[in-house]
Amino acid sequence: MSKLITPRNENYSEWYLDIIKHAGLAEHSAVKGCMVIKPYGYAIWEKMRDDLDRRFKETGHENAYFPLFIPKSLFEAEEKNAEGFAKECAVVTHYRLKNHPTEKGKLIADPDSRLEEELIVRPTSEAVIWNTYKNWIQSYRDLPLLINQWANVVRWEMRTRLFLRTAEFLWQEGHTAHATAEEAMQETRQMLEVYADFAEKVLAIPVIKGIKTENERFAGADETFCIEAMMQDGKALQAGTSHFLGQNFAKAFDVKFLNKENKLEYVWGTSWGVSTRLMGALIMSHSDDSGLVLPPKVAPIQVVIVPIYKGEESFARLNEACDNIAKSLKKQGISVKLDFRETQTPGFKFAEWEVKGVPIRLALGLRDLENQTIEVARRDTKNKTTIPLQDVEGYVSNLLEQIQQSIYQKALEFREKNTFEVNTYEEFKEVMEKGGFALAHWDGTTETELKIKEETKATIRCIPLNARKETGKCIYTGKPSSQRVIFAQAY
Amino acid sequence: MSKLITPRNENYSEWYLDIIKHAGLAEHSAVKGCMVIKPYGYAIWEKMRDDLDRRFKETGHENAYFPLFIPKSLFEAEEKNAEGFAKECAVVTHYRLKNHPTEKGKLIADPDSRLEEELIVRPTSEAVIWNTYKNWIQSYRDLPLLINQWANVVRWEMRTRLFLRTAEFLWQEGHTAHATAEEAMQETRQMLEVYADFAEKVLAIPVIKGIKTENERFAGADETFCIEAMMQDGKALQAGTSHFLGQNFAKAFDVKFLNKENKLEYVWGTSWGVSTRLMGALIMSHSDDSGLVLPPKVAPIQVVIVPIYKGEESFARLNEACDNIAKSLKKQGISVKLDFRETQTPGFKFAEWEVKGVPIRLALGLRDLENQTIEVARRDTKNKTTIPLQDVEGYVSNLLEQIQQSIYQKALEFREKNTFEVNTYEEFKEVMEKGGFALAHWDGTTETELKIKEETKATIRCIPLNARKETGKCIYTGKPSSQRVIFAQAY
Ligand SMILES: [Zn+2]
Ligand SMILES: [Zn+2]
């Protein structure tokens, strides 16, 4: 099974797609650019979603649901925002099908059902949400308004890649409204911290928190914050964004409130989101040439138990012993799969759970049972060890925690090894050729940024927060700079 | 606040919409026919969803996600199914917008982006799912395939009503594939039981399980099972359906499997679903002229605590006491809201939580604190009582259980009081005029069914399962009948 996975160093892109295929995470659908998220992939997404949802609620947000369709006129209201997405939208023009006049069994869009105003399938929901907030916000007492939505969105893409770039994807989008700029900025930064903590503690992906340059900013935002992660080919992946919208959407949709001094003011907004793209980040951060490697906190199955049968007579005893282990692990809140399938060999099962990235595999044979031992195999390091059966509960529980940290540590070390301070454009280009992050001085202009992009495909991933202030000279123009920024090629 | 709610007997339809409005459940959006589900409404839906999701997983189902768009050709494949929905679909014809050639700031669908094949926004996902199952199913080892999806779907509607009939709605759709007809039928009936149990135990809505007549059957199914509930105007609401699809979709999409005898056979299918329509059923089953009444099991807030301040000095003592009560209730898994708002009077708060249907309201004043008592008010009966403060934990916990059962019992009694065995068409018409369910004999023909519908607007809601067999004569034609069926006007 795992032999069917192309090694990373042979063809990184094939490796990624092979893992998705053989781990059963997703596949292309009959609709160009739209994916089917398969049950195992969806179960991982559910783990992510539930953890994030808990964090959103703990920080005072409520979920709601807004329409899939946005009338074209609403879409035109916030100019920059419409420009930013206008090129890639699914447009609904008719609301009825009818039988083809001559070809039996064929359908056509009924010309009589043409919509007066076209509907856009939401690429993001600022327009429809701010149009609604207009009616929800009258006074400072209605603020802050802290709302999140879990939804599907559509951005037409010509070249798609499963999870990373698909026409339809799943995401959450937070949309908040505040009485003051300070409060909105605090919310923007708070959600960035929520994302960063989630990425590091749950997905075991180290991220760099930063601010986007003007050129990479969300259309309609005054400031875009992001978390950036390094994939195993040295490329960057934007794992989440949090936007300070200023009063842009409030002005576009005329959302004002009476402040405590009884004066009308425009409200301040934020929006923030992460998507099924995180699935791509998860796969590319930790997996190896044998398949998926999952941090225990998002593994739908944390422990698989495989009994090694020898002859019919051993069935009952092994099954019972395995069942007891499973029960004791489940009591600790560990998700356990008992693989009793009689149609498959232990070798087949080992390979399957390996490619699916189950963090711990327990194997129990008759001899183990006699010796009161059990074999424990770690997916991440592939280490195997035999422990006393009576210790299994505590051992597994500790090991899960250890694996979670170890996977994070490995990804962090990889990033550090592939991050370089560069001081000349020559050095810079070398880094971009071999892959990795370049910490470089930049003169702060969009012009320079675009030239560097044109010549090297590298973009400024972010201006890192909390970075040491250091003056220097732009690697491209030699003009003065006050801080290094992160350049990389990106997904 | 509650005075703004139109009484049921004055205008039932206004009453329904007033509750949705004043309880803050949903509202119309800028897109005709599409609703915004507001945070409080969405929180109720989340409670429903989580409970159902747990039931689906306990019965062996996994979640997955399939595309929003269905190519027109897939839609044509299952003839009956396409016919059933073809009249009411959103059709995507373009994938790009561009600036209007002359009007600045306006957008048009880019004519160059016309799709070769139109995409239909899913009204239901059988087509795209069975087209996928074709690749997932080869052998009997791949069966049963037990998958559920939580998704948004679109069915264009001209006359919409919040939650009951909207162009876009949220739902779950189960789609399973089986090796034998018997197993598929067992699954169909199992999911009907899951729905019925959920409706009665969680939503406190008594339901009648039955089979749809051929005329009311899901397009593409061999048999449709349903649960039907009675609303307070005596009309029926279909609260969930479970379809035995036979081999219809398997044949339409060529889904075959190698059986144990190594022979190719078409697989057998089921599909089943419930939607945000359940929100409408919930509202109309239990609410009264003062607003929403919620069964505790789906109440986002089960208990609200309102301190009754008298002067500044009492703030701290009351807040502390209320806080302690909240903590002890939360420890029992009860969801509690502490309403400390200083901007509102207790009277305003009482009215607000009443209209929002919070099952239990606790009010604590200074005198209560001195006497070590607390006032407990039930939303469903509006009974108030004062109990010793030290008993509050056990009392509230028992009361929540009691309210859950009492709400169900009340709805059951209402249904029984408004269900009539009728033996003549005259009697039948009288029932339809005043509202309610009529148990009547029917000759089994679509012709008679349609004539009765034309004359009285009543449809056969279902042929009830487990009903007593009783021969009789059709109320319309006098022809023989073997069982009474349920007629009603319906949502
Ligand atoms: Zn394989
Ligand atoms: Zn009101």
Side-chain angles (χ1 to χ4, degrees):
Chain A
M1 222 176 183
S2 65
K3 283 175 202 149
L4 294 182
I5 291 179
T6 310
R8 275 164 292 189
N9 59 15
E10 200 173 290
N11 186 329
Y12 185 85
S13 167
E14 284 297 315
W15 167 76
Y16 173 71
L17 293 174
D18 280 350
I19 288 175
I20 291 176
K21 180 176 177 181
H22 291 299
L25 302 178
E27 64 183 37
H28 291 289
S29 78
V31 185
K32 203 174 161 329
C34 289
M35 66 181 159
V36 173
I37 306 180
K38 299 177 79 171
Y40 193 63
Y42 198 82
I44 298 171
W45 174 244
E46 278 182 329
K47 289 249 166 197
M48 293 189 190
R49 187 196 62 188
D50 291 350
D51 194 282
L52 282 167
D53 196 67
R54 185 180 50 72
R55 289 167 188 262
F56 298 157
K57 284 174 177 158
E58 279 172 7
T59 44
H61 302 86
E62 294 179 296
N63 288 328
Y65 188 76
F66 295 87
L68 173 68
F69 299 129
I70 301 176
K72 200 180 65 179
S73 56
L74 279 192
F75 209 70
E76 292 160 345
E78 214 296 322
E79 213 177 323
K80 276 188 214 153
N81 193 240
E83 264 174 37
F85 287 104
K87 288 175 190 67
E88 41 184 39
C89 289
V91 186
V92 177
T93 54
H94 294 74
Y95 61 81
R96 194 166 55 217
L97 290 169
K98 67 171 198 178
N99 294 328
H100 193 287
T102 53
E103 292 175 54
K104 196 172 149 29
K106 296 293 171 187
L107 298 166
I108 58 163
D110 185 345
D112 292 343
S113 76
R114 201 178 162 93
L115 290 165
E116 269 180 54
E117 180 178 1
E118 292 95 333
L119 298 174
I120 315 304
V121 179
R122 62 181 164 218
T124 180
S125 302
E126 274 80 3
V128 70
I129 287 180
W130 280 91
N131 186 57
T132 307
Y133 281 2
K134 185 183 163 64
N135 304 317
W136 292 4
I137 297 168
Q138 271 87 41
S139 118
Y140 70 92
R141 284 186 212 86
D142 302 320
L143 299 173
L145 190 55
L146 305 172
I147 290 184
N148 176 62
Q149 161 168 279
W150 290 94
N152 54 343
V153 287
V154 172
R155 296 176 189 179
W156 213 266
E157 296 281 357
M158 286 302 168
R159 297 182 315 135
T160 60
R161 202 181 313 199
L162 291 170
F163 290 124
L164 296 175
R165 210 184 307 112
T166 49
E168 182 191 17
F169 56 89
L170 305 183
W171 80 344
Q172 61 68 218
E173 44 182 327
H175 297 274
T176 71
H178 306 265
T180 65
E182 294 66 38
E183 196 188 289
M185 184 53 90
Q186 202 181 324
E187 165 81 5
T188 312
R189 284 172 174 271
Q190 172 185 248
M191 298 324 287
L192 186 78
E193 292 299 332
V194 165
Y195 288 154
D197 196 64
F198 168 76
E200 302 202 326
K201 302 274 174 51
V202 178
L203 305 183
I205 301 176
V207 293
I208 293 169
K209 292 175 278 189
I211 299 175
K212 286 286 181 196
T213 61
E214 194 186 340
N215 179 53
E216 298 275 331
R217 195 182 285 159
F218 171 67
D222 278 359
E223 200 79 273
T224 288
F225 293 79
C226 63
I227 51 171
E228 297 282 330
M230 184 189 286
M231 303 294 100
Q232 287 185 62
D233 58 355
K235 283 194 189 169
L237 188 143
Q238 175 180 297
T241 48
S242 185
H243 312 292
F244 174 74
L245 302 177
Q247 296 178 314
N248 299 334
F249 283 91
K251 284 178 180 167
F253 293 94
D254 197 33
V255 187
K256 290 177 188 165
F257 73 104
L258 270 181
N259 66 17
K260 286 184 184 171
E261 288 76 42
N262 224 31
K263 280 187 186 155
L264 271 179
E265 279 189 71
Y266 285 112
V267 307
W268 298 82
T270 85
S271 68
W272 29 273
V274 299
S275 73
T276 36
R277 220 169 185 240
L278 284 179
M279 291 288 295
L282 185 72
I283 296 162
M284 288 200 293
S285 290
H286 308 308
S287 301
D288 60 24
D289 291 346
S290 306
L292 191 63
V293 172
L294 287 175
K297 286 192 181 168
V298 287
I301 302 166
Q302 294 175 311
V303 177
V304 62
I305 307 179
V306 181
I308 316 290
Y309 301 123
K310 274 228 177 82
E312 300 255 334
E313 166 263 2
S314 62
F315 265 59
R317 282 174 60 203
L318 281 174
N319 285 1
E320 195 198 338
C322 288
D323 208 40
N324 287 336
I325 298 165
K327 273 183 194 139
S328 76
L329 293 176
K330 281 178 189 166
K331 243 183 240 161
Q332 298 193 299
I334 296 169
S335 59
V336 184
K337 170 93 183 172
L338 269 168
D339 191 351
F340 282 160
R341 285 177 294 173
E342 293 173 29
T343 46
Q344 310 293 0
T345 64
F348 178 93
K349 294 176 183 179
F350 284 14
E352 179 167 336
W353 300 118
E354 181 174 82
V355 82
K356 280 180 171 287
V358 173
I360 295 176
R361 182 189 76 218
L362 301 177
L364 190 75
L366 267 189
R367 185 172 300 173
D368 289 308
L369 207 53
E370 274 157 30
N371 299 338
Q372 286 292 295
T373 59
I374 188 163
E375 190 194 76
V376 184
R378 270 176 81 153
R379 172 64 185 89
D380 63 331
T381 58
K382 296 198 178 178
N383 286 343
K384 277 191 279 192
T385 179
T386 297
I387 63 161
L389 200 46
Q390 66 181 27
D391 297 348
V392 71
E393 226 177 294
Y395 189 88
V396 163
S397 177
N398 285 334
L399 188 55
L400 285 171
E401 189 51 49
Q402 208 178 312
I403 292 171
Q404 182 78 29
Q405 286 172 18
S406 164
I407 290 178
Y408 172 78
Q409 207 53 42
K410 193 178 168 192
L412 182 62
E413 278 160 23
F414 179 85
R415 188 186 75 191
E416 283 171 354
K417 222 183 78 189
N418 291 284
T419 300
F420 307 92
E421 287 204 353
V422 300
N423 296 308
T424 68
Y425 197 45
E426 273 315 304
E427 282 172 19
F428 179 85
K429 284 190 280 191
E430 273 163 35
V431 170
M432 287 310 128
E433 263 159 46
K434 69 181 177 197
F437 286 3
L439 291 167
H441 281 288
W442 161 64
D443 66 14
T445 69
T446 298
E447 195 191 348
T448 301
E449 191 181 357
L450 292 177
K451 276 184 186 155
I452 292 175
K453 185 178 178 182
E454 203 186 308
E455 291 173 20
T456 66
K457 289 183 186 154
T459 50
I460 299 178
R461 302 317 305 153
C462 68
I463 303 159
L465 298 175
N466 322 318
R468 129 179 88 94
K469 295 286 161 197
E470 180 207 76
T471 55
K473 286 179 181 171
C474 174
I475 48 158
Y476 195 79
T477 61
K479 288 182 191 160
S481 145
S482 62
Q483 183 186 336
R484 288 177 188 270
V485 300
I486 297 174
F487 281 92
Q489 292 179 3
Y491 280 95
Chain B
M1 221 178 186
S2 66
K3 282 176 202 149
L4 294 182
I5 290 179
T6 309
R8 274 163 292 189
N9 59 14
E10 199 173 291
N11 186 330
Y12 185 86
S13 168
E14 284 297 316
W15 166 77
Y16 173 71
L17 293 175
D18 279 352
I19 288 176
I20 291 175
K21 181 177 177 180
H22 292 300
L25 303 178
E27 65 183 37
H28 290 289
S29 78
V31 185
K32 204 175 162 325
C34 290
M35 65 180 160
V36 173
I37 306 179
K38 298 178 79 171
Y40 193 63
Y42 198 83
I44 299 171
W45 174 244
E46 277 182 329
K47 289 248 166 196
M48 294 189 190
R49 188 196 62 189
D50 290 350
D51 194 283
L52 282 167
D53 197 66
R54 185 180 50 73
R55 289 167 188 263
F56 298 156
K57 283 173 178 160
E58 280 171 6
T59 44
H61 302 86
E62 294 179 296
N63 288 329
Y65 188 76
F66 295 87
L68 172 68
F69 298 130
I70 302 176
K72 201 179 64 179
S73 56
L74 279 191
F75 209 70
E76 292 161 346
E78 215 295 321
E79 215 177 321
K80 276 188 214 153
N81 193 241
E83 264 174 39
F85 287 104
K87 289 174 191 69
E88 39 185 38
C89 289
V91 186
V92 176
T93 54
H94 295 74
Y95 60 81
R96 194 167 54 218
L97 291 168
K98 66 171 198 178
N99 293 329
H100 192 288
T102 53
E103 292 176 53
K104 197 172 148 29
K106 297 291 173 188
L107 298 166
I108 59 163
D110 185 345
D112 292 343
S113 75
R114 199 177 164 94
L115 289 165
E116 269 181 54
E117 180 179 0
E118 293 94 332
L119 298 174
I120 315 304
V121 179
R122 62 182 164 217
T124 181
S125 302
E126 274 80 3
V128 70
I129 287 180
W130 280 91
N131 186 57
T132 307
Y133 281 2
K134 185 183 163 62
N135 304 317
W136 291 4
I137 297 168
Q138 272 86 41
S139 119
Y140 69 92
R141 283 186 213 87
D142 302 320
L143 298 173
L145 191 55
L146 305 172
I147 289 183
N148 176 63
Q149 161 169 279
W150 291 95
N152 54 343
V153 287
V154 173
R155 296 175 188 180
W156 213 264
E157 299 280 356
M158 286 301 167
R159 296 183 316 137
T160 60
R161 202 180 315 199
L162 291 169
F163 290 125
L164 296 174
R165 212 185 306 112
T166 48
E168 182 191 17
F169 57 89
L170 303 183
W171 81 344
Q172 62 68 217
E173 45 182 326
H175 296 275
T176 71
H178 306 265
T180 66
E182 294 66 37
E183 196 187 289
M185 183 53 89
Q186 203 181 324
E187 165 81 5
T188 312
R189 284 172 172 271
Q190 172 185 250
M191 299 324 288
L192 186 77
E193 293 298 331
V194 165
Y195 288 154
D197 196 64
F198 168 77
E200 303 202 327
K201 304 272 174 52
V202 178
L203 304 184
I205 302 175
V207 293
I208 293 168
K209 292 174 279 189
I211 299 176
K212 286 286 182 196
T213 61
E214 193 186 339
N215 181 51
E216 298 274 334
R217 194 180 287 158
F218 171 67
D222 279 357
E223 200 80 274
T224 288
F225 294 79
C226 63
I227 51 172
E228 296 283 330
M230 185 188 285
M231 303 296 98
Q232 287 184 61
D233 57 355
K235 281 195 190 170
L237 188 144
Q238 176 181 295
T241 48
S242 184
H243 312 293
F244 173 73
L245 302 177
Q247 295 178 315
N248 298 334
F249 283 90
K251 284 178 180 166
F253 292 94
D254 198 32
V255 186
K256 291 178 187 167
F257 73 103
L258 269 181
N259 68 16
K260 285 186 186 170
E261 289 74 41
N262 224 31
K263 279 187 187 156
L264 271 180
E265 280 189 72
Y266 285 112
V267 307
W268 297 83
T270 85
S271 68
W272 28 275
V274 299
S275 73
T276 36
R277 223 172 180 237
L278 285 178
M279 292 288 296
L282 185 72
I283 295 161
M284 289 200 291
S285 291
H286 309 307
S287 301
D288 61 23
D289 291 346
S290 305
L292 191 63
V293 173
L294 286 176
K297 286 193 181 168
V298 288
I301 300 166
Q302 294 174 312
V303 177
V304 64
I305 307 178
V306 180
I308 317 290
Y309 303 124
K310 274 228 176 81
E312 299 255 336
E313 165 263 4
S314 62
F315 264 60
R317 282 173 61 203
L318 281 173
N319 285 0
E320 193 197 339
C322 290
D323 209 40
N324 286 336
I325 298 165
K327 273 183 194 140
S328 77
L329 293 176
K330 281 179 189 165
K331 244 185 238 159
Q332 298 192 299
I334 296 168
S335 60
V336 184
K337 170 92 182 172
L338 271 168
D339 191 350
F340 282 159
R341 284 177 294 173
E342 293 173 29
T343 47
Q344 312 292 0
T345 64
F348 179 94
K349 294 177 183 180
F350 284 14
E352 179 168 337
W353 301 118
E354 180 173 83
V355 83
K356 281 180 170 285
V358 174
I360 296 175
R361 183 190 75 218
L362 302 177
L364 191 76
L366 267 189
R367 184 171 302 171
D368 290 307
L369 207 53
E370 274 157 29
N371 300 338
Q372 285 291 295
T373 58
I374 189 163
E375 190 194 76
V376 184
R378 270 175 80 151
R379 172 63 185 89
D380 61 332
T381 59
K382 296 198 178 179
N383 286 342
K384 277 191 277 193
T385 181
T386 297
I387 62 161
L389 200 46
Q390 65 182 29
D391 297 347
V392 71
E393 225 177 294
Y395 189 88
V396 163
S397 175
N398 285 334
L399 187 55
L400 285 172
E401 187 52 48
Q402 208 178 313
I403 293 172
Q404 182 78 28
Q405 286 172 18
S406 165
I407 290 178
Y408 172 78
Q409 206 54 41
K410 192 178 170 192
L412 182 62
E413 279 160 23
F414 179 86
R415 188 185 76 191
E416 283 171 354
K417 223 182 76 188
N418 291 285
T419 300
F420 308 92
E421 287 204 354
V422 300
N423 295 307
T424 68
Y425 197 46
E426 274 315 303
E427 283 172 17
F428 179 86
K429 285 189 282 192
E430 273 164 37
V431 171
M432 287 310 128
E433 264 159 46
K434 69 181 174 195
F437 287 2
L439 290 167
H441 281 287
W442 162 64
D443 66 14
T445 68
T446 298
E447 197 191 347
T448 300
E449 190 181 359
L450 292 177
K451 277 183 185 155
I452 293 175
K453 185 176 178 183
E454 205 186 305
E455 291 173 19
T456 66
K457 289 184 188 154
T459 50
I460 300 178
R461 301 318 303 152
C462 67
I463 304 160
L465 298 175
N466 324 316
R468 128 179 90 94
K469 295 288 162 197
E470 180 207 75
T471 56
K473 284 178 181 175
C474 174
I475 49 158
Y476 195 81
T477 61
K479 287 183 191 161
S481 145
S482 62
Q483 183 185 335
R484 287 177 190 271
V485 299
I486 296 173
F487 282 92
Q489 292 179 4
Y491 281 96

